[in-house]
Amino acid sequence: MTAAPTDQALHREATPPTAPPLPAACGPLSDAVIVALSTGRTDGLPPVPADTDPLGRDLQLALYTLYELHYRGFAGVNPELEWEPDVLRMRRDLERLFLDHLRSAVEPGDDPVAEMDALSVEATSGTGPSWYFKDEGSWDQMREYFAHRSLYHLKEGDPHAFAIPRLQGQAKAAFVAVEFDEFGGGRGERVHQQLWADLMSAAELDPTYLGYIDRVSAETLSTVNLMSMFGLHRSLRGAAIGHFAAIEITSSPGSARLVAGLRRMGAPEECVHFYAEHVEADAVHEQVMRHDVVGDLVRREPELAADVVFGMRTLDHLDELAAEKMLAAWKRGESSLLP
């Protein structure tokens, strides 16, 4: 005999998740992508000019839109376009410009242990958003920060999950253990994406997936595109692991500063809770990522050591650019969000 559905199950059935609408174009590349996806006619996708700004919003939005076909897709867009050759060709052209820029902008290294040791040294001062909000910064600015971060946190854990089938042995087992926590340990209400949606609602912001894609900067888009690119390419699996390890190593102290700032502002408890959860969880994740994931991966595949470091350093590089853009706007007394 089948059990009667619970109220929660009935609610899920009555309100199925819906794909987000396509974003608004901001230049010729993103316009071509959005037209192609909305009409299904991909043969008109143009070549990407070699002089396109790799960190410009047009390229970053076009790339973000194409990557989204591998996540939840878009309302009214044929899911078969995910593997359409013309779409993949354009995505690859955009990726090459982005990746070439990163390889030239980030100093190479090949010692993941030394890199993780450096990341683990807790600073006594800094200039990023967590430092800014710890002692100053307004609630309205914090809400803008939430809007920027929503593009990542509403898909938290997803980009890195693409790396799971590309790992082996202890590295795979330990990586999945960390991701299991990101996905709520088997409890839907504890999924970090859901905790972030709860934070957005408590802050009186739009909690819907991609709700702020038309308002965030190119720099913010690039931080999410980076992890999508790493996760979707087997050749970049070392960078994906390095990127995720750097997030886990640096998250706990940064989250603690944001907790202090939110308490100073008298923020809703749901907002405090999200970061308090990361203070505790990511301190444990750091050790797992260090020894059982990165350590085992590099022992098995020592040729990936340089890519692991590349993943760590590109995270820092793009996060710093995004932070500088936000903080500069606030110091001018302006909004960091697009109109």
Side-chain angles (χ1 to χ4, degrees):
M1 181 176 178
T2 304
T6 63
D7 289 344
Q8 187 177 14
L10 286 171
H11 178 70
R12 286 198 302 267
E13 292 169 5
T15 56
T18 56
L22 282 161
C26 64
L29 295 174
S30 55
D31 182 65
V33 167
I34 289 163
V35 168
L37 296 185
S38 61
T39 62
R41 300 188 59 179
T42 62
D43 54 350
L45 284 169
V48 180
D51 61 352
T52 301
D53 180 0
L55 295 184
R57 196 171 191 279
D58 189 31
L59 182 145
Q60 291 297 326
L61 181 61
L63 187 55
Y64 199 110
T65 304
L66 293 175
Y67 280 146
E68 200 56 42
L69 297 177
H70 300 290
Y71 292 100
R72 302 190 190 183
F74 294 100
V77 173
N78 185 345
E80 293 294 329
L81 293 178
E82 177 182 8
W83 300 109
E84 174 61 38
D86 289 331
V87 169
L88 294 178
R89 186 265 310 158
M90 185 168 190
R91 196 192 87 186
R92 187 57 174 154
D93 289 348
L94 297 168
E95 286 175 330
R96 282 178 175 148
L97 284 176
F98 186 33
L99 186 59
D100 286 349
H101 166 78
L102 292 171
R103 292 206 182 278
S104 65
V106 174
E107 185 177 349
D110 59 5
D111 190 342
V113 173
E115 199 73 18
M116 291 186 290
D117 287 345
L119 290 173
S120 297
V121 176
E122 189 168 348
T124 57
S125 63
T127 58
S130 67
W131 292 101
Y132 177 70
F133 286 123
K134 179 177 178 290
D135 299 312
E136 55 182 313
S138 68
W139 173 236
D140 284 341
Q141 290 169 343
M142 180 67 85
R143 293 173 71 247
E144 287 189 11
Y145 179 71
F146 291 162
H148 283 282
R149 294 295 294 167
S150 68
L151 267 73
Y152 165 59
H153 284 303
L154 288 173
K155 59 159 48 93
E156 186 173 344
D158 290 347
H160 299 104
F162 288 120
I164 292 172
R166 292 158 181 166
L167 300 174
Q168 305 172 53
Q170 184 59 45
K172 173 177 280 191
F175 188 81
V176 169
V178 175
E179 285 279 69
F180 183 64
D181 285 349
E182 301 289 332
F183 297 131
R187 296 172 56 191
E189 75 277 8
R190 300 294 303 161
V191 173
H192 287 186
Q193 297 168 17
Q194 181 58 53
L195 295 181
W196 186 264
D198 296 342
L199 171 150
M200 296 288 281
S201 295
E204 299 182 325
L205 294 166
D206 182 358
T208 58
Y209 186 79
L210 297 190
Y212 288 94
I213 193 169
D214 291 330
R215 303 287 309 279
V216 302
S217 66
E219 291 80 2
T220 293
L221 293 172
S222 76
T223 63
V224 186
N225 281 339
L226 180 69
M227 58 187 88
S228 294
M229 179 172 65
F230 287 164
L232 286 166
H233 288 272
R234 182 178 175 275
S235 62
L236 294 171
R237 63 193 181 281
I241 296 306
H243 185 280
F244 192 49
I247 288 178
E248 298 302 317
I249 291 170
T250 58
S251 172
S252 187
S255 294
R257 290 189 290 270
L258 288 167
V259 167
L262 288 164
R263 292 206 185 281
R264 175 181 62 81
M265 296 173 189
E269 188 55 35
E270 292 90 342
C271 301
V272 177
H273 175 69
F274 178 86
Y275 287 103
E277 170 85 4
H278 283 69
V279 171
E280 183 176 343
D282 290 348
V284 176
H285 293 170
E286 173 186 351
Q287 298 305 314
V288 176
M289 291 299 299
R290 262 179 168 273
H291 303 293
D292 294 338
V293 180
V294 174
D296 187 67
L297 175 68
V298 174
R299 279 191 295 273
R300 288 175 181 274
E301 301 181 86
E303 70 278 8
L304 297 182
D307 274 353
V308 172
V309 174
F310 177 66
M312 295 176 181
R313 293 185 178 180
T314 49
L315 166 70
D316 180 67
H317 175 66
L318 293 183
D319 276 0
E320 187 173 321
L321 292 179
E324 287 174 354
K325 187 71 173 285
M326 279 186 274
L327 290 166
W330 294 333
K331 288 175 181 176
R332 293 193 305 267
E334 300 172 0
S335 172
S336 66
L337 295 171
L338 300 176

